[in-house]
Amino acid sequence: MTTTLPDAPGATTALAAASAVLRRNWGGAYTVPATGLYPHQWSWDSAFIAIGLRHLSARRAQVELDSLLSSQWADGRLPQIVYDTRRDDDYAPSAAFWGSADLPGSPAVPTTGLVQPPVHAWAVWLVHVQDLRESGRRRFLERAYPRLLAWHRYLRDRRAAADGLAAVVHPWESGTDNSPLWDDALARVPGVPRAAIERPDLKHASAGERPSGKEYGKYFWLAERYRDHGCADVDPEHPFLLDDPTTNALWARSELAMADIAEALGQDGAPHRAEAARIVAAMEMLWDDGLGTYVARDRATGALVRKATVGGLLALLLPDDVLPAGRGDALVRTVLGRRFLDVDGATPPIMAPSYDACAPDLDPALYWRGPAWFNMMWLLLEGLRAHGRTDVADRYVGPMTDAAVREDFPEYVNPWTGAGHGTRSFSWTAALAVDLLSRHTHPEGADTP
Ligand code: 2M8
């Protein structure tokens, strides 16, 4: 692939376009993922958005994370969605569906009871180092650290089994909602909830690019079940309990960020580094040597879900001294191999598909069943850089940011053509384009080797 880092003039135009998206989606204390399809605050979206916003305004990036952290439950969980009740008819399930005010330990604002992958501590650290003075002045780390501690404690005490891996109780918690990883487990979930299934999402994205009606029935049923058990994580019969590679890898990566945060605050980072090592060691139970990736595990059956998804590669974010010997190299091989970036293939994608390119059921336009997502590709590029493959990572920055701008910051793209899908003016696409353009623009406008 003959591609380059973006040149400075091109990057300036792209940055302006991306910043405009983030301005339009900013609501005063946080950025909605998209004004139509996703009109509330989403947990891991805010983390990715802050990573981009820090280049535009460190203060705004801090406020983005502060607002999410201030919606924490008493048990430490950071909710998947913090609702804007003025928009309660515009997304389902709504704040009224969850009724969080009636649940013990819920915050003052209405939220879901679910969570999303824990990328927050890492985002807090990246925002902090971007502007140490502003962070210090606002005591950003001092305020964030206890909340992040409680969040990670929630994962360990309420979501991790004795073997140490954190489980998701709903596909929405994985952030990769209709990933093929969840199909078998969802097969045993009833598909007819008590609540009427509303689909305001279909006003903003075509049905062929969203989860199916059948999947939505199961999503609602599971959400009702979790809510009706008080979101208390004590339901022994909860029918969907899976160890998710995305959640666990990001948890481990965030523990390393917690070590940095603790040390910046004059505290001991060693327990966090030990916790990261513990999670990575537990993740060995999810390793599939044949696929060269981590997979999911279904706690109901104990069986591994042997499918290669982009989330299974995220342990690449951990350095070699944390990963088991040889694991980093194996993950790099898988990322670059035919299932994902296919760098030696005849038609390599411009971004990694969310699902194994060799799987016969990959669909390049259907949500988390094949299309490329900007947050996942950004994470892979960070992982490649962490393993000394900056040369490879650099090659994707230009095509990725070009596709983002050309397609009006789409939610996701066809990995091979870059054609946009889902909603447009999508915040994390714009934010991560800002991050890539700010960090990796070629100053002379000349080709990089
Ligand atoms: C998508 O998930 C929401 C539910 O959380 C939905 O489909 O309605 C996912 O892509 C998820 O990862 C993302 O956080 C969310 C908002 O962008 O949208």
Side-chain angles (χ1 to χ4, degrees), residues 38 42 44-45 80 91 116 175 177 210 367-368 373 426:
Y38 305 117
W42 258 261
W44 79 330
D45 294 62
Q80 168 215 10
Y91 181 81
Q116 276 193 319
D177 306 0
R210 292 285 298 167
Y367 212 45
W368 289 96
W373 287 75
F426 187 63

Side-chain angles (χ1 to χ4, degrees), residues 117-205:
V119 69
H120 313 86
W122 190 23
V124 163
W125 178 249
L126 292 175
V127 168
H128 164 72
V129 293
Q130 186 68 27
D131 189 338
L132 296 176
R133 182 189 290 223
E134 180 70 355
S135 177
R137 201 179 62 72
R138 298 187 70 249
R139 301 180 64 76
F140 177 57
L141 286 190
E142 283 87 340
R143 286 182 292 105
Y145 184 56
R147 296 206 178 248
L148 293 167
L149 270 179
W151 166 219
H152 285 209
R153 200 176 304 121
Y154 171 80
L155 292 172
R156 200 187 52 225
D157 295 350
R158 302 282 291 275
R159 294 307 188 87
D163 61 20
L165 291 172
V168 293
V169 300
H170 195 294
W172 285 332
E173 292 201 325
S174 70
T176 64
D177 306 0
N178 68 343
S179 164
L181 288 177
W182 319 132
D183 291 354
D184 291 347
L186 281 179
R188 59 170 180 264
V189 172
V192 186
R194 289 194 311 280
I197 304 168
E198 290 164 46
R199 297 294 305 269
D201 57 319
L202 298 182
K203 287 188 220 142
H204 306 282

Side-chain angles (χ1 to χ4, degrees), residues 44 47-48 51 65 78 116-126 145 148-149 151-153 155 246-262 269 271-277 279-280 283 314-315 317-319 322 378-379:
W44 79 330
F48 289 118
I51 288 170
L65 291 165
L78 289 182
Q116 276 193 319
V119 69
H120 313 86
W122 190 23
V124 163
W125 178 249
L126 292 175
Y145 184 56
L148 293 167
L149 270 179
W151 166 219
H152 285 209
R153 200 176 304 121
L155 292 172
T246 300
T247 298
N248 284 286
L250 290 174
W251 183 20
R253 180 62 191 81
S254 275
E255 279 296 341
L256 293 184
M258 289 291 272
D260 291 333
I261 294 170
H272 293 298
R273 295 189 203 285
E275 181 73 342
I279 298 163
V280 169
M283 283 186 71
L314 298 184
L317 293 163
L318 281 309
V322 178
W378 183 90
L379 291 167

